[in-house]
Amino acid sequence: SWVVESLAPQGGTMPEMNKKQIQLKKKAKEAKDKAGDRSGAGGGGKDGAAARAFDPKAADAAAAKREKTKADRAEREKKAQEKADKERRQAEKAAKAEAKAAMAAAVAAANTTTAKEHPAAAEEAVVVEQMEQLRVEGYRWTLEEVRAEGVTKKMLAEYVLETASAELQQAHRMSKSAIKKNPKDYWVECYVALLRTGC
């Protein structure tokens, strides 16, 4: 035992000295790691270069540019949709005007051809011929469809009363009470009048 005691450093036993050495090594390692972190963040390491390269102003500018690009794209899509809707409405309006013009031309042709002998009958024949297959834009059926069994008197009368103007209803004595009093042919004539006038 005297040999062990003589070899032990002065001021403590062997286990105590070993413990102190371990603690000193641990502290030295922690200090080295911290120095390495500081060297990486601001030194010449790879991480340090990345840290130095980061520019908050540039990042903000890039984010603002991305937002502007996104907003510009949304605005372009909105304008394109508005343009498409406008063109669709114009096409529908042009088709309706074209159909009315064709019908007016048919009536005018009837007035200048066979109208001398039978004006009313000639006009009616031409108009009917034009409307047999013509679907006037904005109205539900052609004249041929109206005369078919698929469109009942009640369906036709309710549609005419809903669509025709007050003046047209008064001129042809249309009313809900007239639905039962008059046959389907009466409401077919009212529908013809509706297609002619467009109101």
Side-chain angles (χ1 to χ4, degrees):
S1 61
W2 66 270
V3 175
V4 173
E5 290 177 357
S6 65
L7 292 175
Q10 297 298 320
T13 63
M14 286 290 289
E16 290 176 349
M17 294 305 296
N18 289 338
K19 186 176 181 180
K20 289 181 180 180
Q21 289 178 355
I22 291 171
Q23 290 176 347
L24 288 172
K25 288 181 178 181
K26 186 176 180 181
K27 289 181 179 180
K29 186 176 183 301
E30 291 176 353
K32 183 178 180 182
D33 291 342
K34 289 181 180 179
D37 292 342
R38 287 193 298 271
S39 174
K46 188 175 181 180
D47 294 337
R52 289 192 302 274
F54 178 77
D55 187 351
K57 292 182 178 180
D60 292 342
K65 184 178 180 179
R66 287 193 298 271
E67 290 297 323
K68 185 178 184 303
T69 301
K70 184 177 179 181
D72 291 343
R73 183 170 61 252
E75 184 66 20
R76 287 195 301 271
E77 292 175 353
K78 181 181 178 182
K79 289 182 178 179
Q81 184 62 42
E82 290 175 350
K83 183 179 179 181
D85 292 342
K86 183 178 180 181
E87 290 176 351
R88 177 181 54 79
R89 290 192 298 269
Q90 289 176 342
E92 291 176 352
K93 185 177 180 181
K96 188 172 182 179
E98 184 178 350
K100 288 185 177 181
M103 192 168 295
V107 174
N111 290 335
T112 57
T113 54
T114 59
K116 293 180 180 179
E117 297 179 0
H118 305 285
E123 179 181 340
E124 182 67 21
V126 174
V127 171
V128 168
E129 183 180 355
Q130 291 289 327
M131 289 191 298
E132 283 292 346
Q133 299 297 331
L134 178 64
R135 181 182 297 279
V136 179
E137 194 72 26
Y139 296 97
R140 187 171 298 177
W141 306 288
T142 64
L143 187 57
E144 184 180 13
E145 291 169 340
V146 163
R147 286 175 172 167
E149 295 181 357
V151 179
T152 64
K153 179 181 76 170
K154 186 174 183 295
M155 291 168 55
L156 178 58
E158 289 179 349
Y159 177 75
V160 171
L161 289 173
E162 179 183 347
T163 310
S165 64
E167 292 79 5
L168 188 63
Q169 291 185 33
Q170 184 177 2
H172 290 267
R173 298 180 181 178
M174 304 180 202
S175 65
K176 290 184 178 180
S177 61
I179 297 177
K180 293 183 178 180
K181 295 179 181 179
N182 297 288
K184 183 180 178 180
D185 289 341
Y186 167 81
W187 292 102
V188 171
E189 292 177 2
C190 292
Y191 189 70
V192 171
L194 177 63
L195 292 182
R196 283 178 182 170
T197 60
C199 62

